[in-house]
Amino acid sequence: MNKKWYSRLLLSYLPLFSVAMIVLIMIFYVLLNAYARQEMDKVNRVYTGYVRDALDTSLVSMERTITQEFLTNTHLQAYFESNMVMDSFQSYEAYRALTDLVAMNDFIHSIYLYRRFDGQVLTHIMNMPIEQFSDRAFIERHLDTGFEGWTDPRSYRASEPLTAISLVKQLPFGSGTLGLLVVNVEIDKIQQFFVELSGANSASMSLIARDGQVMAGESTKTGTEFRAASREAGWDVRSRMDGKNLVQLVSSLPPAWLTAGSLFLILCFASLILITRRNYRPVEYILERIHSYSSRRGHLDDFQFIESSIEALLQQSQEYKEKSRFDLFYKKKHYFLELLEGNVTWETVAGQLDPAVTGLLPHAAQSWYLVMEMDQYSGFVRQYHAGDQNLLKFALFSIIKEMAELQRVNVWQEWIANQQIAVILQCKEQPEEETVLEYCHKLRSWVETNLSFTVTLALGPAVEQLSEIHHSYLAAMEALDCKATVGSNSVIPHTAVKEQRNGEIYDRLISIRSMCHMFRLGKQEEWEQLFSDICGTIQHGTHSHKELVNLINFLIYHLNNEMNELAEEYANAWNGHGAPRLYKALDEFETWEELRGLILCILQDLFARIETIRANNSQLMAVRAVKDYISRHYADPGLSLIQVSDVVNMQPVQLSRMFKDEFGEKFIDYVASVRVDQAKRLLLSTDASIQEIGRMVGYLHSFSFIRLFKKIVGETPGEFRKKQ
């Protein structure tokens, strides 16, 4: 039996080890081959450009030398003066100037001047009429075309036929009214120069004329081709290099390397066998104990005994997991959120959680609420995969505590959204708001300096009792709503929130928030009408580019918040097809009309995608039935999740989760928004009192109605009616 287990153990390692070694070796050689090919391509690309630049430099140098000589040599200029008769000395000097140019540059084969008014041609050898000149056809072809520059290879007949390229210059330069200057360069010189340049490179290089002729080198069709176009003559310098394949690379390795690798593999196999033999002894002892124990229990097979033990262990582990769902972490976060919402008092929290767990002093003089929001969160999600996102979020979460200890500040922080961290602060020494603001600014600065993103912080007012932290929470969240206008990567104290209830900008911000909410709820007519109204007010005003950018950033910010509250497939549609296109439109627009059309097109496309997802969701019909029931029974004071769940024959927890997934908000929040919308309609269309309207929309107590209305709308029902 011992040999059987030893063989199993050994054979379980050897095949996997062998396959792993073979795969690693293959990967090594493939990567080495790919790296070598990549480096060869880089060198070839650079060298191709170098050859092109060297060739251009030679041609430019030649052209400049000839141009300078013609501009400074009076004898060459006198040749074109029709009212001047040249004596023998002047003719000699003109011949000599041309001869010196030919002798000065190894590339130049010959130079000649054509004088238009009498048809004479002056070469570096003689002067003759054009009728006797062998290159007469070339002169006549370029005389009236205005062409200047280098030609492609052509046949040139001098003392003997040859292939040359020619530089044609109109005289005087640019007009050609006096004649032509033609410089002939023998193609063999170009080929020799090209071979000297490309000889150090192992690639196959060629010089291709504009008409496709191969001027120098060899043109092949294997390997990766690199091109560098001559800026001076328009020719192409082309190169190709065949990278070694894997078999060639392996065969080129020295035999000593292959021998050493083989010996290393043999040594690895021998070591594996030896280590397995040595490590098997404890396993052997354990197997003997298992066999002995299983025999006493009536189990004849070791695997049966091990299987039953594992099943018992898994069952205990599952029970522990069920119990751990209510452990300290979840309990702590639960009471944190309840405290912010004002649903529990601090005394209740302190009775359930030890002060050492929360990190707060139960009898501190003052406490503040701080909310930190990651800027450009959709870009953050696109830039990093899930593992890196969690790592950066952990670093952000940890620095709040670490920096608080340095600033002598007590903090209790929790994630309240994907991009938001809520913090309750207390000063250990002087309870002053300046100390807390200093901590906020240092925290913002640290994130900007050390992380790849920025954050915006909003600070609520100080409260005397922790049970009142709900008020600081509301003020801080209201301050955070001003992020789009105040700007990201900033600290926004509650005192910075400006009351612009009657202002034009504030009206637009409220309309934008309502529009985003309607967009999330799938009410197309409502959000399109709100968008049209917003655009209409902007169209009739005068706004700077910065103001428009701030308004649209505010729109994107709230759309991002609304869409990320929906289920994952809706958030993916937003992050993949909505936010990137809106940011791109915002970066590229020039006029408001252009931006308006782009935004409307993007939102309509995104809305269609979301509606398609919802149409394919089997839960949508149930959710829509719930919404229809709410719209008909919102005035019922007893309307609740349990009542509606009985109507649609679903469990309350299941219905609540499904509603949250489809529309990104809680059931109770949706009911409140429907009632507030109806209350707004009644406030504007009737003269009923606030108390009557509250009862008409399902609130028996007017103070509950007024408090909820102000929380959602931002002002009391009376203020809303008076303003409208």
Side-chain angles (χ1 to χ4, degrees), residues 337-409:
L337 296 176
E338 290 294 303
L339 187 63
L340 293 183
E341 294 290 340
N343 297 330
V344 297
T345 63
W346 172 248
E347 288 73 18
T348 303
V349 176
Q352 296 293 328
L353 299 174
D354 190 87
V357 175
T358 63
L360 299 180
L361 301 175
H363 303 293
Q366 288 183 324
S367 301
W368 289 264
Y369 174 81
L370 170 69
V371 59
M372 173 191 291
E373 182 172 81
M374 299 171 63
D375 299 327
Q376 301 296 331
Y377 184 72
S378 59
F380 172 81
V381 173
R382 292 194 304 272
Q383 184 177 0
Y384 300 102
H385 58 74
D388 289 341
Q389 291 178 33
N390 293 333
L391 182 61
L392 290 170
K393 286 184 175 182
F394 175 78
L396 180 63
F397 191 80
S398 301
I399 194 58
I400 296 175
K401 187 75 172 180
E402 295 175 8
M403 191 165 290
E405 293 175 355
L406 296 176
Q407 294 293 118
R408 306 283 297 168
V409 175

Side-chain angles (χ1 to χ4, degrees), residues 1-10 277 280-281 283-289 291 302:
M1 179 177 177
N2 292 339
K3 291 184 178 179
K4 176 181 177 182
W5 277 98
Y6 173 73
S7 300
R8 287 181 178 179
L9 183 63
L10 185 61
R277 177 178 289 276
Y280 177 69
R281 293 175 183 174
V283 177
E284 181 181 10
Y285 174 75
I286 295 172
L287 288 173
E288 290 178 354
R289 294 290 302 272
H291 182 70
D302 296 337

Side-chain angles (χ1 to χ4, degrees), residues 263-280:
L263 292 176
F264 176 74
L265 290 177
I266 295 173
L267 179 61
C268 289
F269 279 104
S271 301
L272 179 62
I273 295 173
L274 178 61
I275 293 172
T276 303
R277 177 178 289 276
R278 293 183 61 184
N279 293 339
Y280 177 69

Side-chain angles (χ1 to χ4, degrees), residues 320-537:
Y320 175 77
K321 287 182 179 179
E322 291 294 330
K323 185 178 179 180
S324 66
R325 294 176 60 184
F326 304 98
D327 65 359
L328 182 61
F329 175 80
Y330 296 102
K331 189 176 181 181
K332 178 184 174 185
K333 185 170 184 179
H334 168 75
Y335 279 107
F336 183 88
L337 296 176
E338 290 294 303
L339 187 63
L340 293 183
E341 294 290 340
N343 297 330
V344 297
T345 63
W346 172 248
E347 288 73 18
T348 303
V349 176
Q352 296 293 328
L353 299 174
D354 190 87
V357 175
T358 63
L360 299 180
L361 301 175
H363 303 293
Q366 288 183 324
S367 301
W368 289 264
Y369 174 81
L370 170 69
V371 59
M372 173 191 291
E373 182 172 81
M374 299 171 63
D375 299 327
Q376 301 296 331
Y377 184 72
S378 59
F380 172 81
V381 173
R382 292 194 304 272
Q383 184 177 0
Y384 300 102
H385 58 74
D388 289 341
Q389 291 178 33
N390 293 333
L391 182 61
L392 290 170
K393 286 184 175 182
F394 175 78
L396 180 63
F397 191 80
S398 301
I399 194 58
I400 296 175
K401 187 75 172 180
E402 295 175 8
M403 191 165 290
E405 293 175 355
L406 296 176
Q407 294 293 118
R408 306 283 297 168
V409 175
N410 291 328
V411 295
W412 180 11
Q413 77 270 29
E414 297 287 348
W415 286 97
I416 61 174
N418 290 334
Q419 71 275 27
Q420 289 182 351
I421 302 177
V423 187
I424 300 177
L425 305 98
Q426 293 175 337
C427 293
K428 294 182 179 180
E429 297 176 351
Q430 298 178 348
E432 297 181 356
E433 189 165 318
E434 289 74 12
T435 304
V436 178
L437 283 173
E438 180 183 0
Y439 165 74
C440 295
H441 284 290
K442 288 185 177 180
L443 185 59
R444 182 208 60 78
S445 178
W446 187 94
V447 173
E448 181 183 17
T449 304
N450 296 279
L451 298 180
S452 58
F453 54 88
T454 59
V455 295
T456 298
L457 299 94
L459 181 66
V463 295
E464 301 297 331
Q465 301 292 332
L466 278 170
S467 298
E468 301 172 353
I469 199 67
H470 174 67
H471 302 294
S472 183
Y473 160 73
L474 293 177
M477 297 307 291
E478 185 178 2
L480 186 63
D481 283 340
C482 297
K483 172 183 175 180
T485 52
V486 175
S488 58
N489 190 24
S490 60
V491 176
I492 310 174
H494 64 96
T495 55
V497 180
K498 296 181 179 180
E499 293 293 336
Q500 297 182 349
R501 304 299 185 188
N502 298 319
E504 183 182 3
I505 295 297
Y506 181 80
D507 290 340
R508 291 175 189 162
L509 300 185
I510 294 296
S511 299
I512 287 175
R513 292 175 60 184
S514 300
M515 182 198 118
C516 296
H517 189 67
M518 293 298 104
F519 188 91
R520 182 184 71 179
L521 296 180
K523 299 180 179 180
Q524 184 173 8
E525 293 184 2
E526 286 82 350
W527 75 256
E528 286 185 348
Q529 182 59 47
L530 284 170
F531 181 78
S532 178
D533 294 342
I534 294 167
C535 294
T537 57

Side-chain angles (χ1 to χ4, degrees), residues 134-314:
S134 60
D135 206 21
R136 173 183 178 181
F138 181 81
I139 294 175
E140 293 175 345
R141 187 166 61 252
H142 291 83
L143 189 59
D144 295 320
T145 62
F147 172 79
E148 286 190 325
W150 292 94
T151 67
D152 288 330
R154 68 185 186 92
S155 297
Y156 174 65
R157 186 171 182 178
S159 57
E160 59 183 15
L162 55 87
T163 302
I165 58 174
S166 300
L167 172 65
V168 179
K169 304 291 287 185
Q170 302 285 339
L171 297 177
F173 296 119
S175 65
T177 57
L178 298 180
L180 294 177
L181 165 65
V182 180
V183 180
N184 298 307
V185 176
E186 191 174 356
I187 197 66
D188 291 343
K189 295 290 185 179
I190 298 296
Q191 292 174 349
Q192 181 181 355
F193 179 69
F194 186 78
V195 170
E196 291 175 355
L197 289 175
S198 60
N201 190 13
S202 59
S204 173
M205 302 192 72
S206 59
L207 181 62
I208 309 299
R210 289 186 297 265
D211 58 0
Q213 297 184 57
V214 179
M215 300 173 60
E218 298 180 356
S219 178
T220 63
K221 295 185 178 180
T222 59
T224 304
E225 183 181 70
F226 297 95
R227 296 187 179 187
S230 169
R231 291 180 288 269
E232 182 65 22
W235 307 325
D236 273 353
V237 178
R238 302 180 184 178
S239 65
R240 291 180 182 269
M241 178 176 292
D242 294 329
K244 294 184 176 180
N245 57 34
L246 181 61
V247 176
Q248 292 174 327
L249 185 61
V250 173
S251 62
S252 65
L253 292 176
W257 286 25
L258 299 177
T259 303
S262 301
L263 292 176
F264 176 74
L265 290 177
I266 295 173
L267 179 61
C268 289
F269 279 104
S271 301
L272 179 62
I273 295 173
L274 178 61
I275 293 172
T276 303
R277 177 178 289 276
R278 293 183 61 184
N279 293 339
Y280 177 69
R281 293 175 183 174
V283 177
E284 181 181 10
Y285 174 75
I286 295 172
L287 288 173
E288 290 178 354
R289 294 290 302 272
I290 292 175
H291 182 70
S292 175
Y293 186 77
S294 63
S295 298
R296 292 198 302 268
R297 295 284 300 274
H299 295 277
L300 299 178
D301 186 79
D302 296 337
F303 284 105
Q304 276 187 331
F305 175 76
I306 294 173
E307 182 179 2
S308 63
S309 300
I310 292 176
E311 287 178 355
L313 182 62
L314 289 175

